[in-house]
Structure formats: C-alpha cells, structure tokens
C-alpha cells in the first residue's frame, strides 16, 4: 500500500512544512509495507528532491511543465488524479499550509476519499485521526467512511525522520491540455527579509498596549533577535497600525509556533483561539488581571516599554553566548 | 452577476465549548449561535457590494435544520435576495459540498463565495470541495475580489505575502479578512427579510465521508509562572532549560 505526498514548492524548492508530511506518509506506508511517492508540479531541483530521502521519501516524481507556475488548484487536482490512476496510492498526504488547504479537499472530492484537515497525529489503533476543532478549544477523533484518506498534516504530527537515504527520481507527464489551466497569477508580492507568520517557529505579537504604530520598532527588533515573525491582535489591524495579514485570532489566522510572545495584548477569547496551540506562551502585560495570563506558560506583569528592551538585550546576550 | 453564498451556523466566538457525556455531540445547552464570521463579514458583504455595483441576485444556501433559519434570515436582512436550506447534518463537509453543488448545477451562478473557514470546523474545506464538484477554478483565502466584464481580479494570501490573480467566471472563492467590512442589518432590511423566499430542499445523496467517533477537550493548562520584571534572566533560563524554546 503506497502513499502519495504532494511536494509543495516555491521557486523550485520543496517547502519546509512538507518534510513533516513526508515523514508522516512514511510512517503510514511502513505500517502496511508500502512506499512513499512524492509529486512536485512545476520547477524543481534534482539535488533538493533527492535530499528528501532523509525524511522518508522513496521516489520523487517531477512534472517539468511551466504551466504549473501559477497555482491553479483545479489543474493541480487533475494532475494528482492522473498520477493516482497511473500509480495507485491508498492515501494522499499534504501539509496543512495555504496550498494544502486549497488543494487537499479538491483531491479528496475527486478521488472520493475521506478528508482529514489539520491532522495532529498518525491514525490511532482504532483508525481514527485526531484534529483540532472549535478554534483549538476541542479535538475531534475522525473516523473515515471511505477506503482511503486525504490527510493535511500539522507540524509535529509525526516528527521528522532522519534517514541516510536518497529519494530516486522519475518524471511524470499528466498530459493536461491548455484548457486545464484557468488561473493566471499576474503579480507576486513577498515581504523580503521577514519570516512568514504561518511558517514561523517563533512569533512576537503585540496589541493595543503598544499605544501606536510608531512604537513597533522594539517589537521588530525583538523578533529579529529571536528570528521570529511579527503578529498583532485584531484591534491593532482594524485601526491600521499593522497590516491585516498579521492579525492572529479566530477571524484572522491561526498560528502554532514553538514560542509565542504576547505583548500588550489582553487575551480576548477570539485572540486566544488563534494562538492556543502554541507550545510555549509568554505574556507581558501591565494588567495582572489580563485574561491572557491564564493561557500563558510564563508571564511578566510590567510595562512593555520597560520590559521589551531589557528582554531584547538579555536574549541578544543569550544568543551571542 | 448571480452569486451563491454558502453560510454556516456556528457557536458564537465567545461560547464555552462542551460535549455530551458520551463525547459524540456538541452540547448546545446555553450556547448562542451566529452566522460564521468569515461567511458573514467577508463573503456575504463583498457579494452585496458586487450586486450593488453590477446588479444581479444573491442566494444564500445553508445546510441544517429549521433552527438555522434565524441566521439565514439575518443574511437576508443584510442583503441576500433569497435563500435555500438543505435539510441535513452539516458536520460532514463532503455531504455539504455535494448537496450545495447539486443545487448550484441546477441554477446559473457566476460566483460561489463563502468564508475561508468555519470557526467550529477549522477545516478550510467547503469552498474547495464545492469547486471540485463544480469543476470550477477556486481562489482560496482571497483578500480582494473585483470584477471587470467576465474577468475576476483577486488577491490571495500566500506564505509571507500575496499574489494578484486573473480568472474568468464562473469561479469559487473563499474569503479572508480584508475583502470587506462587517455590515449591521438595519430595521428596513430586517422587515424585508421576513418576506424574502426561504426554500427548504432535501439532499439527494445523504452519504457522509467521515464521522466523529469522539470529541475531547484539551487538558487544563497549568498555572502561569510569573517572573519579576527586574529579573529577566530568570525568564531566559526558563525558556532555555524548562521550555527548551530558545
């Protein structure tokens, strides 16, 4: 029983969250004595693909077709469908990132498989897969009614394998005609030199306690020291102090970093819903009654304008040592 | 421009989450339900703005029982023209997507737009499954949607930035923050909503792809460790040795 992993890529390199998906697929396949096949659509790099053997990939199939340079979930779903026709796989694994979220449900609908979004672990002995629901306030143990599953996996769902193997390479042609490609990307804007919030291991987030957008310099400096992404609370993005894409919470984006700093954020339940799956939470707030302290691992009751520069200096000393 | 807007009923963002003693179902006791925020604030409001500039019609569609009529009426009060409710349990996304697409195929829509995720399900899956059953393109987590003739111009979120996109209609869109601003229904809208059509239909295919064997609550979080603001080094030590986070 083989397992397929979609190898999401950007600028010809497979994205980091996919490594976890590969290791997840390997553990799924191993339990049934199968292999892990990966499919990359569009530009790829041979050495990069071979190196994925380290995480458990057996064969990397590359589709060298420039028409895949614009992400079009319909064309991508067709290509994955054609691949499965030629190379039967019981399950298909994605990473639960932007493209995975768009593409995996399509593939599940196309192949008539059960879809499990945001899988947090491998299937349990009874076959159920656990995932977060109600914005991190609960878990659902999902039972599949179909013969196979499409799983979009979260970080830390299976742990990264570290094998001394190289993936073998194969090329694949899904044979799509031009009318399969309908979406045209006309412009890509990426913020250079910053870490994408959804991929960050560490996040430094700030709220109204900062008093104004002109005070974000110390937040950015702290983020820089920690190699962290910056984020903010909803009121701050609503008044335009920070861009919408930094808004973390129930109606913004959900993050799950190893370390989350909340500075001058009271911790409304809607904000907590977007961060409560972080591994370690540190809260800095002047108000000892701020609800965020109840969700925190470590807290400092104090003024951000006093604490943050001291914290930054101490961290710099720590990282320099 | 004829637009179909799937809307979902969800527990209010501040609701206390609990389950029945057997762990099989959500405990709705004392819970206030609302329209899913991203469906309402972003998808529905942008649909209304497009209709206001281009003309056409907005149909709301929902999967659920008669308890859902309250949030459907709210959508009609904000600016939907008519509504369809498909009888059934909205927990399985395959079922919902199949039933909504079956309705959409029988009616001529140019655009299907819904919120990027439901705040109770968090699966980011409905729009995507609908697009596959429709065999239409999908732009997910879109922050902008404009129309010029038969061409849609959109922006969508990607890791660390955004992309601008062009695609012809018909199209499925899942909407993110930035697409529109929340609207509060006025008294005239609320009065008019009472007489707008709300048709109840049955799903042809009642099969589900998944079931929830059991719901569970996360373990209680331990007490916060408070550190004195004058003793930052203690925090560094804890982050390093205890949390192993730096």
């Amino acid at each position: 029983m083989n397992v397929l992993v979609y190898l999401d890529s950007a600028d010809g390199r497979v994205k980091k969250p996919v490594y976890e998906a590969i290791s997840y697929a390997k553990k799924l396949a191993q339990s049934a004595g199968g292999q892990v096949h990966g499919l990359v659509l569009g530009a790829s790099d041979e050495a990069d693909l071979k190196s994925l053997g380290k995480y458990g990939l057996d064969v990397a199939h590359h589709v060298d077709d420039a028409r895949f340079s614009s992400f079009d979930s319909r064309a991508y779903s067709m290509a994955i469908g054609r691949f499965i026709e030629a190379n039967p796989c019981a399950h298909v694994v994605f990473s639960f990132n932007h493209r995975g979220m768009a593409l995996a449900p399509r593939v599940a609908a196309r192949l008539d498989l059960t879809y499990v979004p945001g899988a947090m672990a491998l299937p349990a002995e009874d076959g159920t897969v656990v995932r977060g629901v109600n914005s991190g306030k609960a878990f659902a143990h999902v039972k599949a009614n179909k013969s196979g599953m499409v799983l979009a996996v979260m970080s830390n769902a299976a742990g990264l394998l570290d094998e001394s193997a190289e993936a073998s390479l194969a090329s694949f042609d899904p044979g799509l005609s031009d009318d399969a490609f309908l979406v045209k990307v006309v412009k890509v804007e990426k913020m250079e030199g910053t870490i994408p919030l959804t991929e960050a291991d560490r996040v430094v987030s700030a709220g109204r306690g900062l008093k104004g957008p002109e005070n974000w310099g110390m937040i950015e400096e702290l983020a820089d020291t920690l190699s962290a992404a910056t984020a903010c609370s909803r009121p701050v993005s609503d008044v335009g102090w920070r861009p919408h894409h930094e808004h973390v919470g129930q109606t913004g984006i959900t993050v799950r970093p190893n370390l989350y700093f909340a500075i001058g954020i009271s911790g409304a339940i809607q904000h907590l819903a977007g961060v409560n799956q972080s591994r370690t939470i540190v809260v800095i707030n002047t108000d000892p009654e701020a609800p965020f302290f109840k969700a925190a691992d470590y807290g400092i009751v104090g003024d951000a304008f006093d604490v943050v520069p001291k914290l930054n200096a101490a961290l710099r000393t720590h990282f320099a040592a | 421009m004829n637009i179909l807007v799937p809307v979902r009923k969800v527990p209010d963002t501040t609701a206390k989450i609990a389950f029945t003693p057997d762990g099989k179902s959500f405990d709705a006791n004392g819970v206030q339900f609302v329209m899913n925020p991203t469906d309402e604030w972003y998808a529905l409001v942008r649909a209304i703005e497009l209709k206001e500039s281009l003309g056409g019609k907005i149909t709301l569609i929902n999967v659920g029982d008669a308890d859902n009529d309250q949030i459907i009426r709210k959508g009609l009060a904000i600016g939907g023209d008519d509504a369809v409710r498909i009888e059934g349990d909205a927990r399985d996304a395959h079922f919902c997507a199949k039933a909504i697409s079956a309705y959409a195929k029988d009616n001529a829509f140019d655009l299907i737009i819904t919120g990027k995720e439901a705040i109770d399900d968090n699966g980011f899956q409905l729009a995507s499954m609908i697009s596959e059953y429709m065999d239409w393109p999908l732009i997910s987590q879109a922050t902008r949607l404009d129309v010029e003739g038969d061409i849609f111009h959109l922006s969508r979120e990607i890791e660390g930035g955004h992309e601008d996109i062009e695609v012809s209609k018909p199209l499925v869109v899942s909407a993110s923050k930035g697409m529109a601003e929340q609207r509060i229904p006025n008294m005239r809208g609320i009065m008019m909503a009472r007489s707008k059509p709300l048709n109840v239909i049955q799903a042809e295919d009642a099969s589900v792809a998944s079931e929830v064997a059991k719901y569970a609550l996360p373990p209680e979080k331990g007490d916060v460790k408070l550190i004195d603001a004058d003793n930052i080094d203690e925090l560094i030590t804890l982050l390093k040795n205890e949390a192993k986070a730096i």
Side-chain angles (χ1 to χ4, degrees), chain A residues 141-294:
Chain A
H141 296 260
V142 179
K143 178 175 158 287
N145 285 358
K146 305 286 184 185
S147 57
M149 287 185 275
V150 172
L151 301 129
V153 305
M154 309 276 273
S155 53
N156 301 321
L160 286 183
L161 291 170
D162 188 5
E163 299 182 348
S164 55
E166 271 197 353
S168 58
L169 301 181
S171 76
F172 177 71
D173 178 9
L176 300 185
S177 57
D178 278 345
D179 58 12
F181 298 87
L182 301 174
V183 169
K184 199 166 111 197
V185 172
V186 292
K187 196 165 98 188
V188 181
E189 271 185 42
K190 282 201 180 182
M191 275 149 293
E192 297 299 330
T194 58
I195 295 161
L197 186 49
T198 46
E199 289 183 358
D201 271 343
R202 298 174 186 148
V203 174
V204 177
S205 190
R208 270 183 301 194
L210 270 277
K211 300 192 186 348
E214 68 280 7
N215 297 323
W216 246 262
M218 64 179 186
I219 300 299
E220 281 163 357
E221 282 168 24
L222 180 60
D224 185 49
T225 303
L226 281 161
S227 306
T230 52
C232 69
S233 64
R234 179 175 168 205
V236 160
S237 79
D238 278 357
V239 296
W241 292 0
R242 299 297 289 179
H244 284 319
H245 64 250
E246 281 201 0
H247 162 201
V248 162
Q250 197 148 35
T251 53
I253 65 167
T254 302
V255 295
R256 206 183 173 218
N258 277 323
L259 181 59
Y260 186 85
F261 276 91
I263 299 162
I265 304 176
S266 64
I269 193 164
Q270 294 89 345
H271 183 79
L272 297 182
V275 307
N276 57 16
Q277 292 174 60
S278 307
R279 213 163 58 109
T280 300
I281 294 177
V282 183
V283 168
I284 299 165
N285 206 297
T286 47
D287 176 9
E289 300 299 319
F292 220 142
F293 283 114
K294 287 202 174 64

Side-chain angles (χ1 to χ4, degrees), chain A residues 4 6-8 39-42 63 67-68 70-86 92 94 99-113 115 150 172-177 179-183, chain B residues 94 125 127-138 156:
Chain A
L4 174 66
Y6 166 62
L7 305 175
D8 188 14
L39 183 66
V40 60
L41 299 167
V63 175
R67 294 177 300 176
F68 286 103
S70 285
F71 175 60
D72 181 338
S73 60
R74 182 170 166 274
Y76 276 50
S77 172
M78 287 177 178
I80 292 171
R82 295 269 172 93
F83 181 84
I84 296 273
E85 275 171 33
V92 189
F94 292 82
R99 285 190 182 179
M101 287 169 177
L103 182 55
R106 284 198 88 127
V107 170
R110 169 172 289 263
L111 303 173
D112 198 28
L113 301 175
Y115 178 48
V150 172
F172 177 71
D173 178 9
L176 300 185
S177 57
D179 58 12
F181 298 87
L182 301 174
V183 169
Chain B
H94 286 256
Q125 51 187 334
S128 174
M129 286 185 189
I130 291 173
S131 68
E132 187 70 24
Y133 289 128
M134 299 303 291
D135 196 24
W136 289 3
L138 162 79
R156 74 175 160 205

